[in-house]
Amino acid sequence: MGAADHVFTAHEMMAMEHALVLAGQGVRGANPLVGAVIIDDDGAMVATGAHLGAGTDHAEVAALKSAVLQGVDPAGCTMVVTLEPCNHTGRTGPCTEAILAAGITRVVYAASDPNPDAAGGARVLAGRGIEVAGGLLADAATELNRRWLAALQDQRPFVTVKVAQSLDAQSAAADGSSQWITGPHARADGHTIRTRVDAVLVGTGTILTDDPRLTARALDGSDADRQPLRVAVGLRPIPEEAAMRGNGFVHLQTHDPAAALTELYRRGVRHVLVEGGPQLVGVFLMADLADELFAYVAPMLLGAGVPAFQRLGVATLTDAHVWRLDPDGAASVTQLGDDVRLHLKPIAPAPASMKKGR
């Protein structure tokens, strides 16, 4: 059913607006951004929750736990959530079962869940006697997860791109030196992102030039508990002594970013971090396969050097790739020591005629 089939109260509208704000507290990636609010019979918001990333409680469960901590009995209350409650068991259990067990009597959601593995929650809840209404602020909820939805539709991982650059958008000096453009705070933040993704991807050129380990490391330099798959993309062979070799290493011998993502999706990867180099980053951007961008900008000028973005295929201003600061899923602007991290989302990719590998 759509919004036209249901009557929503003013309190439910306010709760949904707040739930959309809460959703932005999560992190973009393998899962959508979701927020939930529990309201009582008087329309007061008595508990809230947000999904904070893969493996953490879904927003509905987080809200229910928050209610318990506050001594609030959610039985008989209404739950307002930005995405249809899931009906599957992944890293966490089905939200439908948690809602039923808590005694919630009405569920209002914004957008239907398009994931075939998780969909059907509204039908299950209605079948168990809960009043269910969908479509409230559905457009806003859909826009919040627009790129995640695109990745799901294409059956590919969500792609985060990370670049480190100078003020004049150089990733390395004229002699090729690039360690380190950014400072320790920015590098530590990059390692935090690595711990959240399923795979870190670089081109063979970066491996031959920098010999990166691509592991996720803690502040003291030790390996983090959760490590991403380390992926090399390109046709050139990887030296046997390369630092990134070993358990959890994959070499995809292709120049086609879409083909690489298809293979990683087949292997169960749902969130990829593309770290470069500049040509590989450009290929992903040109193919409209970059879903979010973290740009770490250092307060230095190199004059000449290696541009942070290459092979974009932009010949005139109308071909430009347009991005916008994204406050959802991470702060849009963050100071990290002397550096600044920009979090951006794509608005207008290059024309379809320019895209490669699609």
Side-chain angles (χ1 to χ4, degrees):
M1 293 184 178
D5 302 305
H6 302 290
V7 176
F8 302 105
T9 69
H11 293 301
E12 289 170 349
M13 176 70 75
M14 293 174 61
M16 185 64 78
E17 291 173 344
H18 187 56
L20 288 167
V21 173
L22 291 169
Q25 296 177 359
V27 292
R28 295 197 183 278
N31 295 326
L33 299 177
V34 184
V37 174
I38 297 174
I39 58 177
D40 63 18
D41 287 342
D42 296 325
M45 290 183 261
V46 295
T48 63
H51 180 51
L52 301 181
T56 65
D57 288 331
H58 285 193
E60 299 94 321
V61 174
L64 292 170
K65 288 184 176 180
S66 174
V68 171
L69 289 174
Q70 297 178 74
V72 174
D73 184 359
C77 290
T78 294
M79 176 171 286
V80 178
V81 60
T82 59
L83 187 68
E84 176 188 5
C86 72
N87 188 46
H88 82 303
T89 300
R91 296 187 187 181
T92 58
C95 290
T96 51
E97 294 302 319
I99 290 170
L100 289 164
I104 294 290
T105 55
R106 175 172 164 87
V107 171
V108 174
Y109 67 90
S112 298
D113 194 333
N115 187 343
D117 295 331
R123 182 180 66 253
V124 169
L125 292 173
R128 298 282 292 275
I130 292 182
E131 184 180 357
V132 179
L136 177 60
L137 299 183
D139 289 345
T142 299
E143 176 58 27
L144 180 69
N145 290 303
R146 179 173 61 89
R147 293 297 302 201
W148 178 83
L149 291 165
L152 179 67
Q153 181 177 2
D154 291 347
Q155 291 194 304
R156 63 166 178 82
F158 184 91
V159 177
T160 297
V161 172
K162 179 176 81 71
V163 298
Q165 64 178 62
S166 61
L167 279 176
D168 50 352
Q170 305 297 313
S171 65
D175 64 356
S177 59
S178 61
Q179 294 183 333
W180 299 98
I181 283 182
T182 54
H185 295 85
R187 297 198 298 275
D189 188 72
H191 281 284
T192 298
I193 295 176
R194 285 184 182 179
T195 65
R196 296 200 302 257
V197 304
D198 299 319
V200 180
L201 187 150
V202 297
T204 53
T206 295
I207 298 169
L208 297 174
T209 301
D210 296 335
D211 193 26
R213 283 191 286 163
L214 294 189
T215 54
R217 297 187 287 279
L219 290 175
D220 62 3
S222 63
D223 286 346
D225 292 336
R226 186 176 186 275
Q227 291 294 324
L229 190 70
R230 303 181 304 283
V231 183
V233 174
L235 302 181
R236 285 180 286 184
I238 307 301
E240 291 297 325
E241 66 276 12
M244 67 183 292
R245 276 193 176 276
N247 187 39
F249 165 73
V250 174
H251 183 192
L252 301 180
Q253 293 182 299
T254 180
H255 283 152
D256 183 345
L261 293 180
T262 297
E263 173 58 21
L264 290 175
Y265 190 89
R266 187 188 69 80
R267 293 171 180 252
V269 172
R270 296 296 181 264
H271 188 189
V272 171
L273 174 62
V274 176
E275 290 207 12
Q279 293 191 30
L280 184 68
V281 166
V283 167
F284 272 84
L285 266 61
M286 188 172 178
D288 190 24
L289 290 172
D291 299 309
E292 72 173 346
L293 171 65
F294 286 101
Y296 295 82
V297 183
M300 65 173 67
L301 297 169
L302 295 177
V306 179
F309 301 94
Q310 299 180 21
R311 300 179 66 178
L312 293 178
V314 177
T316 184
L317 192 61
T318 56
D319 291 338
H321 302 248
V322 181
W323 293 71
R324 180 175 296 160
L325 288 172
D326 185 4
D328 296 311
S332 54
V333 181
T334 305
Q335 185 167 352
L336 298 166
D338 292 330
D339 307 314
V340 172
R341 186 194 73 185
L342 304 179
H343 179 225
L344 304 110
K345 59 183 177 181
I347 300 301
S353 61
M354 296 170 58
K355 298 175 186 176
K356 307 296 182 183
R358 299 300 302 274

